[in-house]
Amino acid sequence: MCAQRMASEMVHMFVWHCVLQFEGTPFYPDASRYWQVVDKYAVSKFYTAPTAIRALMKFGESYVAKYVSLIL
């Protein structure tokens, strides 16, 4: 009974949630690729490796600035 109740609660926890997995380089066709995907699919939570963020930092903020107003 306990395991069945836990499974039921887990189902309720995941209702209305969708996972988007991006596979590929964040630099092609330009450095705003991540932000284009976030904008297109209305992503509310964004998780990535710190290495990816550091790699994107070398391109500056201009690629992000186009999308920041949409996110905030």
Side-chain angles (χ1 to χ4, degrees):
M1 181 72 173
C2 184
Q4 187 178 26
R5 182 176 175 203
M6 284 180 51
S8 174
E9 289 174 1
M10 299 238 349
V11 168
H12 291 292
M13 184 171 62
F14 292 112
V15 172
W16 300 108
H17 292 241
C18 182
V19 175
L20 173 73
Q21 183 174 349
F22 176 85
E23 185 176 328
T25 178
F27 313 125
Y28 181 80
D30 62 15
S32 66
R33 185 68 181 136
Y34 270 163
W35 318 122
Q36 290 170 358
V37 172
V38 166
D39 180 43
K40 180 177 181 179
Y41 296 104
V43 173
S44 60
K45 304 267 189 293
F46 179 75
Y47 299 99
T48 189
T51 305
I53 298 298
R54 285 192 294 269
L56 287 168
M57 287 174 62
K58 69 180 176 183
F59 294 103
E61 296 179 7
S62 63
Y63 291 103
V64 181
K66 295 185 275 187
Y67 300 96
V68 166
S69 62
L70 299 174
I71 296 170
L72 300 175

